[in-house]
Every structure is written in structure tokens, then in C-alpha cells.
Amino acid sequence: MTEMISIDLEDAETKGRYVAHIEGSSETGELTFSKTGSTLIIVDHTEVPDSLRGKGVGLALAKRAVEDARKNKVKIVPLCPFFKATAQRHPDWSDVVQ
């Protein structure tokens, strides 16, 4: 991966999303979640356009969600198949991923 990835958080009262912007591309990737109280979020969808696949965008989105969960003392329920599979490959995320 040679492109820089920046990730913004769009946070509302009951849901939110992380949006990945890739240097040199007008397309974005996203990871969406729902909030179930102040200590639990449900990651329900990750989407990366075909043109950005294989560049680490999905992993960057997942890592950011985990970092923010740790910082905010929130647990993650992974309903999204991509996030769930990625979390299984990262046992070090078990402190926040249920």
C-alpha cells in the first residue's frame, strides 16, 4: 500500500460511521455501527469499493474502530462478516471485541 489513508468519524446519537479517504482517489470506504447504550456498539457493515480493495482500507477502518473502542471503554459486537473475520485474525482485539 503506497496511498495514505485518513479516517473520519461521523458520530450521531444512535449510530455512526468511519469514512476512509484515500490519497489520490475520490472514492471512500466506510464502516458503520449502531450504538446500544454508552458501552456497546454493533459494527454492522464495512464497504470498500472494488477499486480500493487490496490496499488495506478495510483493515484500517477496523483498526480505527478498535482504537476508539479502547479509548472510550466501549465493547464491539461484530455483526459485519468482514469485521468479524478480521477480529478473529487479531486475538489482541479480544479486550474490546465480543
Side-chain angles (χ1 to χ4, degrees):
M1 178 182 70
T2 58
E3 296 87 359
M4 289 289 298
I5 301 171
S6 63
I7 299 175
D8 295 324
L9 171 60
E10 297 175 1
D11 196 12
E13 188 173 333
T14 60
K15 62 183 179 177
R17 74 181 189 139
Y18 292 96
V19 181
H21 304 276
I22 296 78
E23 182 180 38
S25 175
S26 61
E27 295 190 279
T28 60
E30 74 172 0
L31 181 147
T32 62
F33 61 90
S34 299
K35 297 178 184 178
T36 61
S38 61
T39 61
L40 188 69
I41 66 169
I42 299 169
V43 171
D44 50 30
H45 184 69
T46 305
E47 185 168 339
V48 175
D50 289 342
S51 66
L52 300 178
R53 297 214 174 164
K55 299 177 187 272
V57 176
L59 179 59
L61 287 162
K63 283 183 176 180
R64 172 67 188 272
V66 168
E67 290 169 7
D68 286 358
R70 284 183 176 137
K71 182 173 65 174
N72 297 314
K73 297 181 178 26
V74 172
K75 297 288 185 181
I76 299 172
V77 174
L79 291 186
C80 167
F82 171 82
F83 188 93
K84 186 173 188 170
T86 301
Q88 289 172 344
R89 290 191 299 273
H90 290 272
D92 55 309
W93 294 0
S94 65
D95 60 316
V96 293
V97 177
Q98 293 188 340

